[in-house]
Amino acid sequence: MNPRVAIAVAAVAGLSAAGCSANASDTPAGKVIPAADRGGAVSAQGTGLDDKPLDLADHRGEIVVVNFWGSWCEPCRTEAPVLEAAAKKYTGVRFLGVDSKDTKDGGRAFLRTFKLSYPSFFDPEAKIAAAFKTVNPNSLPATLILDRQGRVAVNLPGQLSAARIEPVLDQMVAEK
């Protein structure tokens, strides 16, 4: 390989690995961010796929799981039953979806197909994702767990399984 190409590839790989985070800590994805290292509360308002207004601020005081998905995304389709099962299991936790870069008809069909009981923002232009600053709307699925103050406490990129989400939800529910 040409040395200049090798250097360029290494630089791009290094930048990609650096990523961005919601806080100044080095907490890896999937781990609960220490409360002292969490950023400020996230503010996001929009309209749901049911055409009703949604506002994250309405859920302060609750743990909130925010799942970014698209009806066209196969891993999103695979994890949808996992999230619905968790939403039923964790009665004290609020679940919200964010249908990104999608059509309203596609999103509504997804909700019907997977019988999701929780609401989803309709976010065709990824404006809700931009409010979080940690979600790449081109890399779905992605899930964030917000603490009771509305701060990002856990970043779970990629497809979820019960084994990935339940331990962090247990830890968040136990947090006072």
Side-chain angles (χ1 to χ4, degrees):
M1 176 183 286
N2 178 321
R4 287 184 182 171
V5 171
I7 290 170
V9 168
V12 169
L15 289 172
S16 296
C20 60
S21 70
N23 60 67
S25 90
D26 293 325
T27 305
K31 301 292 182 192
V32 176
I33 299 165
D37 294 340
R38 296 175 192 163
V42 179
S43 176
Q45 304 84 31
T47 303
L49 283 166
D50 59 2
D51 295 321
K52 294 179 181 173
L54 287 173
D55 189 338
L56 276 180
D58 292 343
H59 304 292
R60 292 285 161 29
E62 299 176 289
I63 294 165
V64 181
V65 175
V66 183
N67 176 252
F68 295 82
W69 59 273
S71 65
W72 43 267
C73 164
E74 191 56 40
C76 301
R77 300 174 73 76
T78 301
E79 77 174 6
V82 170
L83 287 161
E84 180 59 23
K88 289 180 178 172
K89 179 177 180 177
Y90 292 89
T91 55
V93 177
R94 173 72 60 184
F95 282 69
L96 295 172
V98 180
D99 182 18
S100 294
K101 296 191 166 197
D102 207 347
T103 64
K104 195 169 273 190
D105 288 343
R108 287 175 174 164
F110 184 94
L111 294 180
R112 281 191 308 274
T113 298
F114 295 102
K115 298 176 177 68
L116 298 181
S117 60
Y118 52 87
S120 285
F121 286 97
F122 179 56
D123 192 29
E125 296 173 358
K127 291 179 181 177
I128 302 293
F132 285 90
K133 298 178 179 62
T134 56
V135 175
N136 177 351
N138 294 317
S139 185
L140 298 177
T143 303
L144 299 174
I145 301 175
L146 309 182
D147 66 14
R148 289 176 178 88
Q149 289 77 44
R151 305 173 301 174
V152 175
V154 183
N155 179 8
L156 294 164
Q159 182 180 319
L160 291 179
S161 64
R164 274 188 77 205
I165 193 168
E166 288 184 7
V168 292
L169 282 175
D170 291 340
Q171 190 174 348
M172 291 301 303
V173 167
E175 188 177 274
K176 299 296 176 199

